[in-house]
Amino acid sequence: MDIFKILIEIAIPVFAIIAGVWAFFKIFHRFKSKFLFITNSQILHKTIWKDISEHYKIKQNGEQDHSFRPLVLLPHSLKKYSTIKNGKKAILESISQNKENNLKIVAEVYWIPEDMELWNKIIHPVFSLVLRRYFGMERPMYQDEESIRGDWQIVKHSIKHLDPLHRHLDDFLLQWAVSDSYTYRYFEPKNGEKGSYVSEPVPDGFIEYCGLSIILRNHSFFNIEKD
């Protein structure tokens, strides 16, 4: 019985010390972490992912891996705002404008090489399909055009660089719905020295959502997320 009391007397201060050290590192790490605040996002399409995966020798899990895998591509110009290393995981968190619970998800991050011709013109993060749908940026459309009203708007996109995961309008265009909370435009990396933006879908133009409120930070041992 005495031994049991002694063990309790030892365990309580040891636990207190461990908890204190944990709290210190947790607070310190949160204070020192760099946050990347994302307001615009382009879509991850099969052409850029093919070039990125070949460059970094990334293992693929099927032809549509880039659509259903939580992936973020970051432009090299954003390196000064983030310490996330290439191929590592990051936490993406949406900042709810309606004071509801924020949405969080863990994603893989790859940096677009500074010397990768064409894609090095991209200046905003690139999100995979599953991330865009998770955060409510877009939703698929098939036979429900009449239901698109209020919170959603219909958009069209060139089929050239995309998998057929949306409704086909014809041999050239796909169609889906975008949240009415965002505006959008199309980026043409082949047009001009730095690329250009247009308001209508073109074969080599990629939709970019504007008006997001998402932060990206390191995923580490010290980042414990609540369920």
Side-chain angles (χ1 to χ4, degrees):
M1 197 69 174
D2 291 337
I3 295 177
F4 182 70
K5 289 182 178 179
I6 293 173
L7 290 176
I8 292 178
E9 290 176 356
I10 295 174
I12 290 175
V14 169
F15 178 79
I17 293 171
I18 293 174
V21 172
W22 173 263
F24 171 78
F25 279 107
K26 180 72 174 175
I27 294 171
F28 178 78
H29 184 269
R30 178 173 293 176
F31 177 75
K32 297 293 288 184
S33 291
K34 283 189 176 181
F35 293 83
L36 178 62
F37 189 70
I38 300 171
T39 58
N40 289 36
S41 169
Q42 288 194 19
I43 65 169
L44 178 60
H45 53 85
K46 61 184 179 182
T47 310
I48 187 174
W49 181 241
K50 178 177 179 294
D51 292 343
I52 292 291
S53 59
E54 288 179 352
H55 180 86
Y56 290 123
K57 297 178 174 57
I58 303 169
K59 183 179 179 181
Q60 302 294 302
N61 297 310
E63 293 182 0
Q64 297 176 345
D65 180 50
H66 66 285
S67 292
F68 299 109
R69 186 166 160 182
L71 291 166
V72 178
L73 304 186
L74 294 177
H76 190 271
S77 60
L78 297 179
K79 272 188 172 289
K80 56 182 174 289
Y81 303 113
S82 177
T83 58
I84 296 175
K85 297 187 181 301
N86 191 68
K88 298 301 181 180
K89 292 183 178 179
I91 297 171
L92 286 170
E93 179 178 359
S94 68
I95 309 303
S96 175
Q97 298 177 357
N98 299 319
K99 296 183 179 180
E100 298 173 354
N101 292 331
N102 294 348
L103 290 174
K104 299 179 184 179
I105 193 169
V106 176
E108 292 177 70
V109 174
Y110 294 94
W111 290 92
I112 300 173
E114 189 174 18
D115 59 351
M116 182 169 278
E117 197 170 341
L118 196 62
W119 309 129
N120 57 11
K121 297 179 182 180
I122 293 173
I123 62 174
H124 296 293
V126 180
F127 284 9
S128 63
L129 179 78
V130 70
L131 289 180
R132 303 193 307 269
R133 291 185 178 176
Y134 174 77
F135 284 119
M137 298 179 199
E138 63 183 38
R139 51 163 282 193
M141 281 184 59
Y142 299 106
Q143 71 283 350
D144 53 353
E145 290 171 351
E146 296 299 323
S147 66
I148 300 300
R149 60 173 68 90
D151 297 334
W152 299 94
Q153 53 189 318
I154 297 174
V155 297
K156 300 177 178 60
H157 199 286
S158 168
I159 197 175
K160 183 176 178 182
H161 299 272
L162 298 183
D163 287 323
L165 298 173
H166 303 278
R167 181 177 180 181
H168 283 70
L169 284 181
D170 49 40
D171 293 336
F172 305 100
L173 291 173
L174 296 175
Q175 177 176 277
W176 63 81
V178 173
S179 170
D180 207 31
S181 300
Y182 311 119
T183 57
Y184 62 90
R185 55 187 179 176
Y186 300 88
F187 180 65
E188 283 191 282
K190 292 184 177 180
N191 190 3
E193 185 178 345
K194 296 183 178 180
S196 66
Y197 287 98
V198 294
S199 59
E200 298 295 331
V202 289
D204 292 310
F206 308 103
I207 198 168
E208 179 181 292
Y209 301 124
C210 314
L212 312 179
S213 185
I214 294 175
I215 60 172
L216 180 147
R217 68 178 186 272
N218 281 301
H219 178 260
S220 74
F221 176 72
F222 295 105
N223 283 323
I224 298 178
E225 300 305 316
K226 295 180 180 179
D227 293 333

